[in-house]
Amino acid sequence: MEDCIFCKIANGEIPANIVYESENVLAFDDINPMAPVHVVVVPRVHVATLMDVSNGMMDEMISAVQEIAKIKGVDKKGFRTVINCNEDGGQIIFHLHIHILGGRKLSDEMG
Ligand code: 5GP
Ligand code: ZN
C-alpha cells in the first residue's frame, strides 16, 4: 500500500535492521526501542489492524515470534508481545504488527 511505512520496509524502499524473514512475514528492530530488545513483526502484505486479520494469518506471525525470541536470546528469560489496535489501543502505524519487548524486567503495568 502506498505511503505505508511498513510496506515500504517490506519492499526494501526504506531501510531497517531486519532480524527475521520468512515467506509471508518480516521482522525488524523498532526505530525507537522501548526495551533492550524491541522487534516489530509484520506480514509482508498490507493488513491494517488486528480487526482485519483472517483465519490462519497469525500462525506464521507467532512462529516468527518464537524464532526471534531465540535469535535475540530472550526465549528463556521471557519477553512481552503487544498488538496495539486502533486509536484507544495506541496504534500509530496502520499495518498490523506484533511488538516483541524484552531484555529487561518489564513493568507490571499493562496500560
Ligand atoms: P504502534 O504504536 O503503531 O503499535 O507502533 C509503531 C511502532 O513502529 C513504534 O514503536 C515506532 O517506533 C515504530 N516505527 C515507526 N516508524 C518506523 C520506521 O521507520 N522504522 C522502524 N524500524 N520502526 C518504526
Ligand atoms: Zn502496509
Side-chain angles (χ1 to χ4, degrees), residues 1 4-8 45-47 94-95:
M1 192 183 157
C4 169
I5 288 172
F6 289 174
C7 280
K8 287 184 176 171
V45 296
H46 185 85
V47 175
F94 282 80
H95 180 131

mmCIF file of all heavy atoms in Angstrom, residues 1 4-8 45-47 94-95, ligand 2:
data_model
loop_
_atom_site.group_PDB
_atom_site.id
_atom_site.type_symbol
_atom_site.label_atom_id
_atom_site.label_comp_id
_atom_site.label_asym_id
_atom_site.label_seq_id
_atom_site.Cartn_x
_atom_site.Cartn_y
_atom_site.Cartn_z
ATOM 1 N N MET A 1 0.840 -1.197 0.000
ATOM 2 C CA MET A 1 0.000 0.000 0.000
ATOM 3 C C MET A 1 0.878 1.253 0.000
ATOM 4 O O MET A 1 1.832 1.334 0.744
ATOM 5 C CB MET A 1 -0.884 -0.012 1.254
ATOM 6 C CG MET A 1 -1.991 1.007 1.210
ATOM 7 S SD MET A 1 -2.911 0.976 2.763
ATOM 8 C CE MET A 1 -3.607 2.613 2.723
ATOM 9 N N CYS A 4 2.596 3.589 3.204
ATOM 10 C CA CYS A 4 2.636 2.812 4.440
ATOM 11 C C CYS A 4 4.103 2.501 4.732
ATOM 12 O O CYS A 4 4.786 1.872 3.922
ATOM 13 C CB CYS A 4 1.820 1.533 4.303
ATOM 14 S SG CYS A 4 2.103 0.397 5.676
ATOM 15 N N ILE A 5 4.565 2.966 5.875
ATOM 16 C CA ILE A 5 5.986 2.809 6.229
ATOM 17 C C ILE A 5 6.383 1.336 6.259
ATOM 18 O O ILE A 5 7.455 0.963 5.759
ATOM 19 C CB ILE A 5 6.259 3.466 7.594
ATOM 20 C CG1 ILE A 5 6.212 4.993 7.467
ATOM 21 C CG2 ILE A 5 7.613 3.046 8.153
ATOM 22 C CD1 ILE A 5 6.287 5.722 8.804
ATOM 23 N N PHE A 6 5.533 0.484 6.833
ATOM 24 C CA PHE A 6 5.914 -0.922 6.961
ATOM 25 C C PHE A 6 5.857 -1.637 5.618
ATOM 26 O O PHE A 6 6.658 -2.552 5.375
ATOM 27 C CB PHE A 6 5.072 -1.622 8.028
ATOM 28 C CG PHE A 6 5.401 -1.188 9.450
ATOM 29 C CD1 PHE A 6 4.643 -1.639 10.530
ATOM 30 C CD2 PHE A 6 6.482 -0.357 9.717
ATOM 31 C CE1 PHE A 6 4.951 -1.253 11.836
ATOM 32 C CE2 PHE A 6 6.802 0.042 11.008
ATOM 33 C CZ PHE A 6 6.030 -0.404 12.071
ATOM 34 N N CYS A 7 4.967 -1.238 4.709
ATOM 35 C CA CYS A 7 5.012 -1.775 3.336
ATOM 36 C C CYS A 7 6.325 -1.359 2.675
ATOM 37 O O CYS A 7 6.948 -2.159 1.973
ATOM 38 C CB CYS A 7 3.832 -1.260 2.503
ATOM 39 S SG CYS A 7 2.275 -2.133 2.789
ATOM 40 N N LYS A 8 6.729 -0.114 2.907
ATOM 41 C CA LYS A 8 7.981 0.360 2.292
ATOM 42 C C LYS A 8 9.188 -0.393 2.845
ATOM 43 O O LYS A 8 10.128 -0.681 2.106
ATOM 44 C CB LYS A 8 8.132 1.870 2.496
ATOM 45 C CG LYS A 8 7.183 2.656 1.609
ATOM 46 C CD LYS A 8 7.387 4.144 1.734
ATOM 47 C CE LYS A 8 6.462 4.857 0.732
ATOM 48 N NZ LYS A 8 6.442 6.293 0.929
ATOM 49 N N VAL A 45 2.197 -8.594 3.397
ATOM 50 C CA VAL A 45 1.051 -7.929 2.749
ATOM 51 C C VAL A 45 0.469 -6.901 3.711
ATOM 52 O O VAL A 45 0.570 -7.043 4.927
ATOM 53 C CB VAL A 45 -0.057 -8.933 2.336
ATOM 54 C CG1 VAL A 45 0.446 -9.890 1.280
ATOM 55 C CG2 VAL A 45 -0.617 -9.664 3.540
ATOM 56 N N HIS A 46 -0.156 -5.900 3.134
ATOM 57 C CA HIS A 46 -0.739 -4.853 3.968
ATOM 58 C C HIS A 46 -2.041 -5.317 4.604
ATOM 59 O O HIS A 46 -3.017 -5.590 3.908
ATOM 60 C CB HIS A 46 -0.989 -3.584 3.147
ATOM 61 C CG HIS A 46 -1.468 -2.445 3.991
ATOM 62 N ND1 HIS A 46 -0.608 -1.609 4.674
ATOM 63 C CD2 HIS A 46 -2.713 -2.035 4.301
ATOM 64 C CE1 HIS A 46 -1.311 -0.728 5.365
ATOM 65 N NE2 HIS A 46 -2.602 -0.961 5.145
ATOM 66 N N VAL A 47 -2.019 -5.393 5.930
ATOM 67 C CA VAL A 47 -3.220 -5.666 6.730
ATOM 68 C C VAL A 47 -3.241 -4.534 7.751
ATOM 69 O O VAL A 47 -2.239 -4.309 8.437
ATOM 70 C CB VAL A 47 -3.097 -7.026 7.451
ATOM 71 C CG1 VAL A 47 -4.281 -7.261 8.361
ATOM 72 C CG2 VAL A 47 -2.941 -8.159 6.449
ATOM 73 N N PHE A 94 -0.644 1.945 10.793
ATOM 74 C CA PHE A 94 -1.784 1.086 10.456
ATOM 75 C C PHE A 94 -1.397 0.019 9.440
ATOM 76 O O PHE A 94 -1.974 -0.074 8.343
ATOM 77 C CB PHE A 94 -2.987 1.946 10.040
ATOM 78 C CG PHE A 94 -3.660 2.522 11.256
ATOM 79 C CD1 PHE A 94 -3.134 3.644 11.890
ATOM 80 C CD2 PHE A 94 -4.760 1.901 11.813
ATOM 81 C CE1 PHE A 94 -3.714 4.145 13.055
ATOM 82 C CE2 PHE A 94 -5.351 2.396 12.971
ATOM 83 C CZ PHE A 94 -4.827 3.510 13.582
ATOM 84 N N HIS A 95 -0.410 -0.764 9.838
ATOM 85 C CA HIS A 95 -0.009 -2.011 9.168
ATOM 86 C C HIS A 95 0.234 -2.953 10.338
ATOM 87 O O HIS A 95 1.122 -2.692 11.169
ATOM 88 C CB HIS A 95 1.238 -1.781 8.314
ATOM 89 C CG HIS A 95 1.737 -2.997 7.580
ATOM 90 N ND1 HIS A 95 2.054 -2.986 6.229
ATOM 91 C CD2 HIS A 95 2.013 -4.243 8.015
ATOM 92 C CE1 HIS A 95 2.483 -4.188 5.872
ATOM 93 N NE2 HIS A 95 2.476 -4.975 6.952
HETATM 94 ZN ZN ZN B 2 1.431 -1.580 4.861
#
